[in-house]
Amino acid sequence: MDQATLTQAQALKRAGYRTGLATNNVNEWRSIWLGLIDPHLFDFIVDSSEVRLRKPTMEFYLELARRVNGTQGVLVLDDEPVNIQTADRAGFGTLLWGPDSTRSRRDLERLLP
């Protein structure tokens, strides 16, 4: 996760939005990637190594929906089109977060109430 994305997550959190991280990882790397972010920035973390499911499977997104109490009002941001497609099929709002973070932030602002 790049700094621009983390900065956006911080801004959303300050604005009162719940934030989360849904990530594909392996157990052996958990301490490394958690050391790179502030886990308090997120209201929830769904780590594939803990739930034993991986994006882009539908089962991963159904577990995410269970943890956030449904898909209503939940926007999934991801940089992989296949993950966005599955999240969309699961009923989430979606936004493809592209390499141009300035454009992605503008796209996000248009989607927020």
Side-chain angles (χ1 to χ4, degrees):
M1 184 175 299
D2 65 18
Q3 188 55 50
T5 305
L6 287 171
T7 299
Q8 185 65 54
Q10 290 168 332
L12 289 168
K13 182 95 169 159
R14 280 193 307 273
Y17 291 96
R18 290 180 61 214
T19 60
L21 177 64
T23 184
N24 278 343
N25 274 296
V26 294
N27 218 16
E28 295 79 8
W29 295 348
R30 184 173 173 78
S31 63
I32 295 169
W33 68 263
L34 274 177
L36 299 174
I37 63 169
D38 176 5
H40 297 100
L41 174 60
F42 303 104
D43 296 297
F44 64 89
I45 296 176
V46 179
D47 177 353
S48 65
S49 68
E50 289 186 326
V51 299
R52 302 201 184 282
L53 300 165
R54 293 186 64 79
K55 298 186 288 184
T57 65
M58 180 60 74
E59 292 79 10
F60 182 92
Y61 290 98
L62 294 176
E63 176 63 18
L64 175 59
R66 186 186 71 74
R67 290 185 178 216
V68 298
N69 216 13
T71 60
Q72 184 78 16
V74 179
L75 180 64
V76 171
L77 310 178
D78 203 296
D79 60 353
E80 291 291 333
V82 67
N83 294 341
I84 289 295
Q85 292 164 355
T86 307
D88 185 61
R89 284 196 322 271
F92 290 98
T94 57
L95 174 66
L96 182 63
W97 194 264
D100 180 352
S101 60
T102 300
R103 180 171 181 229
S104 294
R105 281 195 305 277
R106 279 195 307 261
D107 292 345
L108 175 62
E109 288 169 4
R110 282 194 289 270
L111 293 173
L112 296 176

